[in-house]
Amino acid sequence: MDYSNLIFLFIFLLSPAPLRSFYLPGVAPRDFRTGDPLYVKVNKLSSTKTQLPYDYYYLQYCRPDKIVNSAENLGEVLRGDRIENSVYTYMQFHMRQDAPCQVACRVKLDAESAKNFREKIDDDYRVNLILDNLPVAVLKQQRNGSPATTYEHGFLVGFKGSYQGRKDEKYFINNHLSFRVMYHRDSDTDSARIVGFEVTPISIHHQHERWDEKFPNLTTCNANTKNLVQASTVPQEVEAGKEVIFTYDVTFKPSEVKWASRWDTYLLMNDDQIHWFSIVNSIMIVLFLSGMVAMIMMRTLYKDINNYNQLESQDEAQEETGWKLLHGDVFRTPVNSGLLCVYVGTGIQMVGMALVTMTFALLGFLSPSNRGGLMTAMVLLWVFMGILAGYSSARLYKMFKGTDWKRNTLKTAFMFPGILFAVFFFLNALVWGEKSSGAVPFGTMLALVCLWFGVSVPLVFTGSYLGFKKPAIEDPLKTNRIPRQVPEQAWYMKPVFSIFVGGILPFGAVFIELFFILTSIWLNQSYYIFGFLFIVFAILMITCAEVTIVLCYFQLCSEDHHWWWRAYLTAGSSALYLFIYSVFYFFTKLKITKLVSGILYFGYMLIVSYAFFVMTGTVGFCACLWFVRKIYSSVKID
């Protein structure tokens, strides 16, 4: 058998998604000819210190005659992206035609505008521009002297410092932008494709003899200016009443980089070796747990079941100890069984959404070039997976001999989304109070509610109706009328201890990859290695299943038949460690100082941890349910 195709497919799926996604339907390259106009768009102002994005025109930058919002998908709105046209669109920005020094506009700062500029400079805000769907990049200085070229998204609004030997520090604005556009030329058609968009921001206090709106002539910046830093060493100070002249120049440079690989320079911020270490670390945990499960299933259980089935009488069976004695109580309906059904149904919905989303991302449909696509896909898939939530919740509810299926369905449709929406609404109110563009508009909030009530809820009811129409899942053994008393448990078998111990291994399987995920979310970096993420996700699911089975077996051997909720909480407790790790990440990696920004971080991480709890708990419960039914169905009872 030829394994070369399988090896190629494996390498293909592990490769960065952007490098193989651009020729998929809907993501076609665009060819430009010499002189074609280039449309530079502006995006949000972003900062890793505050996590509060702002609209570009929140600051007194040059404005076009009419500001037009570009078409935005749901994910872009939820991310706080506000893509609009700019003054650069209507000026000397033409393909392969250098523009040495152009004046964008002249503004006079009032007190409010100067204050806004100073605040954004203090908080290290960056300006994000877009050309042909490529974000503008700034060359990042390597502190370790590495020759590798890396970039940062966006350029700083300005900086704070002193000049000409002065001791007092002032605020200065980057009012001149030196753009460099890299293109890959097609020798046959003479057309070109944009493969890079860089900028070098400079602060210059421009001088002019007289101002002409139509033909401004600056002594510090004109067509003959070769080096702006030498032309003027005086930066542009931010002060009320000051005149600020915004300028730019454009140069075009041919590049050997092909269009399909143009995102490579934006993504060189993660070390693949660390990802491989994460995979190896996770696989070792899985192999260890798999060995334990195999030993339990193939040796201990096989031997126990054979010996138990060879007993000649029920009296001899009663003399046995361990998990075999619980055959009359192990399938007893647990306390709060309805709530357990709701959480299991919601977890199935979550797992389905995660699997389909990562499959699309793995195939390249949700690469960073598809801005907002990942979040849009997650929201829509969550809505459509409501049918799985209703079906699985109803099936489990009927197995517990529940009768009020409509009430159970309502809880499934509203409990988890309601908690998430309440927290999200509170956080969004805080963002709105800060006048940030990250606040979800009322129209988008209404659209989310319509998706919830108009699509998700009917699908949950449809799935619940179909599930409840199915025959009830029969227990392998009959349940005694009088519950068996649980003997005194050893300290290490107490529920609290075993639950928290069970969550360590699932978290340990993913915590390295979790660092990259948090970095991409909170430090404005692009996450693109979905092949690694898919493998880590599969390892997480296997780890949750195996660790729950092992601990459930030990619990049953201790003659404790209250395993339903403990199985769910054992795997779900990994969410607690995730939240603790997010606290550690906050204090060691982030530089957030504002109270609102801190509340936003912990609020959203609380949502993520809660969703992680529901998903992992469901996987552990389903694995444990299969395990218990499997072993007790092999026992012969008269």
Side-chain angles (χ1 to χ4, degrees), residues 312-344:
E312 296 180 356
S313 66
Q314 187 68 17
D315 293 335
E316 294 179 4
Q318 294 297 333
E319 295 176 1
E320 292 294 318
T321 59
W323 65 271
K324 301 174 289 296
L325 291 179
L326 302 181
H327 61 80
D329 297 275
V330 73
F331 294 107
R332 188 178 302 280
T333 302
V335 180
N336 291 328
S337 59
L339 183 62
L340 181 60
C341 296
V342 170
Y343 271 98
V344 171

Side-chain angles (χ1 to χ4, degrees), residues 500 503-504 507 511 514 518 572-589 601-602 605-606 608-610 612:
F500 286 118
I504 295 177
F507 172 76
F511 85 96
L514 183 63
L518 292 179
S573 64
S574 57
L576 176 64
Y577 298 101
L578 187 152
F579 188 78
I580 293 174
Y581 180 79
S582 69
V583 175
F584 170 79
Y585 186 88
F586 177 85
F587 289 105
T588 57
K589 298 297 180 181
Y601 174 84
F602 287 110
M605 289 309 303
L606 187 64
V608 171
S609 301
Y610 184 41
F612 194 78

Side-chain angles (χ1 to χ4, degrees), residues 278-451:
S278 172
I279 296 294
V280 173
N281 169 68
S282 303
I283 289 177
M284 294 301 295
I285 294 176
V286 168
L287 291 177
F288 169 73
L289 289 174
S290 299
M292 293 190 66
V293 172
M295 181 183 67
I296 292 172
M297 296 292 291
M298 298 181 65
R299 294 186 58 188
T300 309
L301 283 177
Y302 182 76
K303 181 180 178 181
D304 286 350
I305 290 172
N306 282 342
N307 293 337
Y308 188 63
N309 290 336
Q310 291 173 4
L311 294 176
E312 296 180 356
S313 66
Q314 187 68 17
D315 293 335
E316 294 179 4
Q318 294 297 333
E319 295 176 1
E320 292 294 318
T321 59
W323 65 271
K324 301 174 289 296
L325 291 179
L326 302 181
H327 61 80
D329 297 275
V330 73
F331 294 107
R332 188 178 302 280
T333 302
V335 180
N336 291 328
S337 59
L339 183 62
L340 181 60
C341 296
V342 170
Y343 271 98
V344 171
T346 304
I348 296 293
Q349 183 181 11
M350 187 79 65
V351 173
M353 178 205 69
L355 280 175
V356 178
T357 301
M358 279 190 286
T359 300
F360 281 132
L362 195 64
L363 297 175
F365 288 101
L366 303 178
S367 67
S369 64
N370 186 7
R371 190 175 293 104
L374 181 62
M375 187 166 292
T376 302
M378 291 177 65
V379 172
L380 294 181
L381 285 172
W382 165 264
V383 170
F384 291 123
M385 290 295 170
I387 192 168
L388 296 181
Y391 181 82
S392 53
S393 177
R395 292 283 284 162
L396 190 61
Y397 186 71
K398 193 170 184 180
M399 187 184 79
F400 289 147
K401 298 177 175 57
T403 55
D404 194 358
W405 69 275
K406 294 181 181 179
R407 183 179 181 182
N408 177 71
T409 305
L410 284 173
K411 289 182 179 179
T412 305
F414 289 103
M415 180 173 290
F416 180 79
I419 294 174
L420 259 61
F421 189 82
V423 177
F424 177 75
F425 186 83
F426 170 74
L427 296 177
N428 191 68
L430 293 179
V431 178
W432 179 78
E434 294 290 323
K435 300 180 181 179
S436 168
S437 66
V440 178
F442 176 77
T444 305
M445 192 75 74
L446 185 62
L448 291 175
V449 174
C450 290
L451 283 174

